[in-house]
Amino acid sequence: MKKILVINGPNLNLLGLREPALYGAQNFETLQASIREWAVALGLEVELFQSNHEGVIVDKIQAAYGVFDGILINPAAYTHTSVAILDALKAVALPTVEVHLTDIATREKFRQFSFVSLYAQKTICGKGFDGYREGLEYLAAL
Ligand code: CA2
């Protein structure tokens, strides 16, 4: 069975508590439960990981080498700032899908560039929670 590491970056644990107009009213636990259900349906094993800390995310990506078959990541704000996360993804060289709840291309200028997109094989934006399902489908089909 394929093993996929799902990483959510800073503040995504606040889903449903703030900014529902932007990120939706459903909470983080609901997102995690949905990901687990989709994984079962797709015959994937998933590990769910969330951190607000860049270095902790880098450590987790490094530890994925030789353990996981793919990574689904919403790097949140680190999308736009983190060469360290990009380098870690390149180093482990696992198939990687980048997902964003919102369409970063149509938001503030500072959100329009993604370091992670320079490595990710696929980027899914603006589809809310469904983007995670699409990402899992893509990784399952590889
Ligand atoms: O659209 C996305 O998924 C983002 O990765 C979300 C990040 C943002 O920095 C990226 O530009 C786009 C922010 C996640 C913060 O989520 C919150 C949820 C509820 C309340 C406040 C923040």
Side-chain angles (χ1 to χ4, degrees):
M1 195 181 269
K2 254 188 198 172
K3 286 182 72 172
I4 305 299
L5 174 62
V6 180
I7 301 176
N8 279 297
N11 298 309
L12 284 163
N13 56 311
L14 297 178
L15 277 176
L17 300 179
R18 298 263 160 80
E19 303 203 72
L22 201 50
Y23 298 116
Q26 290 185 294
N27 65 23
F28 188 62
E29 286 64 39
T30 303
L31 173 61
Q32 308 251 78
S34 300
I35 292 170
R36 286 191 201 284
E37 276 178 29
W38 295 326
V40 169
L42 290 163
L44 297 170
E45 192 177 323
V46 281
E47 181 177 323
L48 307 182
F49 179 79
Q50 190 275 332
S51 177
N52 295 325
H53 305 277
E54 184 176 21
V56 174
I57 294 171
V58 169
D59 287 343
K60 191 69 186 176
I61 293 168
Q62 287 186 12
Y65 182 76
V67 177
F68 289 93
D69 303 297
I71 297 176
L72 177 62
I73 183 167
N74 183 344
Y78 291 139
T79 305
H80 320 294
T81 63
S82 184
V83 178
I85 289 175
L86 169 64
D87 284 348
L89 290 169
K90 284 169 92 168
V92 304
L94 288 168
T96 297
V97 175
E98 173 187 10
V99 63
H100 297 284
L101 296 163
T102 60
D103 183 7
I104 56 174
T106 58
R107 294 186 62 190
E108 303 97 318
K109 196 91 195 150
F110 68 87
R111 295 187 201 275
Q112 292 176 15
F113 177 76
S114 165
F115 283 102
V116 170
S117 287
L118 300 177
Y119 173 73
Q121 284 78 65
K122 188 175 174 66
T123 299
I124 301 161
C125 295
K127 296 185 174 173
F129 286 9
D130 279 348
Y132 289 77
R133 173 163 50 191
E134 198 177 311
L136 289 177
E137 285 168 356
Y138 178 88
L139 290 167
L142 284 180

